[in-house]
Amino acid sequence: MKRRYWHAWQNVLRNRRRSLVTIIIAAVGCAAVQLAGGFAQFSYDVLIEGTIQDSGHIIVATRDYFVRNEESPMQYGIPDASAMRERLSQHSHVRWVLPHINFSGLISNGDKSLIFAGTGVDPEIETEVRGPYLTWESGSFGKSVDGRPFVLLGSELARSLRAHVGSSLTLLSTTTDGTMNAVDVEVSGIASTGWREVDQRFIYVSLSTAQRLLATDRVSSFSVFLDDNAVTGEVLKEMSGGDQAHVYKPWWEQAFYYHSVRQLYNRIFGLLGSIIAALVFFSVSNTLAMAVVERTREIGTLRALGAEPGEVVLQFIREGLLIGLLGALLGTLLASFLSALLPYLGLQMPPAPGRTVGYALKVSISPLLYFIADFSVVLLCVLAAWFASHKATRKPIIDALGHV
Amino acid sequence: MHAEAISLKGIVKHYCVGDETVMALRGVDLAVPVGAFVAIRGPSGSGKSTLLNICGLIDGFDDGHYQLAGVNVSCLSEKERTHIRRQQVGFVFQSYNLMPVMTVAENVEYPLLLSAIPVQERRQRVAEMLSLVGLSKQANRRPDRLSGGQRQRVAIARALIKSPTLVIADEPTANLDTTTAGQIIDLMKDLGARRGATFLIATHDDRMAAHCDQVCSIVDGMLQ
């Protein structure tokens, strides 16, 4: 067996330049698939992280919260929030339980009033969990200096209101019983989420401010953050077991943007991968087809000596296999090297549509993806070898022997 | 053992060239005893190569009967013909047709490899055969490092290594100088006698014909 591969290798070396070009094409194809797939994987990871940072691993709310529209604010909110938060926090995998109150209304600087989409949060934990993911323009999540209720403004909203840290604003909203209520707040910070549309509307206030404005003691939902994304399903099962009053949704059921991007990328990179696969296939089959034509008399001789067509095809398949293995090996080395190098080059991707900030160009090294790409390249080379040789080995022996 | 290595009766073969049908063989009858050294002579296009190809089971025929070592091989499938070629037929080509990536020993060994002979026996038989053709020292050389005569010796060794019933040699001395051609003829005859192989040789060479037990002339697809 070893000798047969040695002969196959010698045959590969018979036309070194041609074989080298084919191996390089296989290697570049393999590396391209690994890099493109690695970039897609990195993007998915970033989107997953972003989604989890936004919603937590698990969102807990009342059953009606997800399916019905509220007729009055906090109609489907969670009553007795402290007990619920306490219960959720007891699970060993839970790191944080963040209560949220979602509300909307008008924000005014006295001269101008704009619509806002507000969230009531626990400022201390929110600063720890979400703070690092916001681009701070000024101030912080913290309390205002004189103890007045504070507000964190989206950068675009702050610009529209000509507000800065320390500015006084008024929030107007409808209470749970349908009357209008207002709260004066002081701007404690201005930040950007990276989404222009969100930055034009969002505000964060403390839970107590939101509850005072809405005249409620309820919260809209809890975002549960775990210590490991891998245990989400397991924790979800344990938490939801026996609790009929609430719905527990994992992050992936709320990750609409992630799913759309993934679908889009899968199509784009799938098409790219197919084109690369076709290039590798035709390149290798072209090389081996030329080798087959050049060695037609050899094929005739082997057949005359008693070799079955399948045995002759196997000889070419071994050559295709060696080309594929070398291509896959070189491609993997190239992709690994470039993936490791990229973070040091500091290359930036432009902002995605709708976003205001770009992100660093990085490529994940996924062993599974590398294996699939390597296996595909080797398989393509083997198929190309079969494709190039199977017809020639069935040519009449006297025609093959008479080939010039 | 059967008395006749090959027995052909009424072999007809035609080719279609465009719209025309060319009769290559017109009812050839030929019987060759085991161990005979037979030359087939004839001008170009007379059908001698076609006859050899049919005898070597690398080409079919349209009508007639052919027995190889007493076995009717007229209506075999391609797979069965391949199997018989592997076991019973050796070939010596005018241009040697050695595998360039294999060494001399590997070229000679190849037919045994196809027959799945155990490695120890293969090595022993190859060494023995290379010694008989005088190429023991060149065993590990590639064919491109050998002279024309040496290459033809390798081809003869390859043809005889499996002790075939029939060896087909198509113009085996055409590419060799007179002295080397003489040595090759002597070698084939000597080894053929030792191995009990029947040689069927297509040739233009009078010296070759002079060494043969039987000389058949073929003209326009008919044996004279």
Side-chain angles (χ1 to χ4, degrees), chain A residues 3-145:
Chain A
R3 193 145 42 121
R4 290 185 182 193
Y5 279 97
W6 172 247
H7 290 150
W9 177 239
Q10 295 299 311
N11 276 321
V12 169
L13 293 181
R14 275 166 86 169
N15 194 321
R16 285 172 197 227
R17 192 183 298 175
R18 194 168 63 204
S19 296
L20 183 68
V21 169
T22 311
I23 290 167
I24 287 173
I25 289 173
V28 170
C30 183
V33 169
Q34 288 167 339
L35 287 171
F39 172 70
Q41 188 59 53
F42 171 73
S43 303
Y44 300 157
D45 292 344
V46 166
L47 286 169
I48 289 172
E49 196 184 331
T51 306
I52 292 170
Q53 169 262 318
D54 202 40
S55 68
H57 293 91
I58 298 168
I59 307 160
V60 187
T62 58
R63 192 159 291 281
D64 292 330
Y65 178 81
F66 290 112
V67 290
R68 291 191 182 181
N69 287 324
E70 289 179 326
E71 285 170 15
S72 58
M74 303 305 289
Q75 183 184 0
Y76 302 123
I78 302 171
D80 200 6
S82 303
M84 182 76 182
R85 189 177 184 183
E86 186 63 32
R87 188 176 75 77
L88 293 172
S89 303
Q90 279 170 359
H91 197 286
S92 58
H93 282 295
V94 172
R95 285 185 74 184
W96 299 290
V97 178
L98 268 58
H100 288 141
I101 296 174
N102 299 322
F103 63 107
S104 58
L106 291 172
I107 184 165
S108 174
N109 61 2
D111 298 327
K112 191 176 182 182
S113 298
L114 292 170
I115 297 166
F116 69 80
T119 310
V121 298
D122 180 334
E124 275 181 32
I125 307 179
E126 208 75 25
T127 303
E128 193 178 344
V129 178
R130 286 193 177 173
Y133 296 98
L134 293 171
T135 308
W136 292 91
E137 287 195 1
S138 56
S140 70
F141 235 135
K143 292 170 187 171
S144 55
V145 182

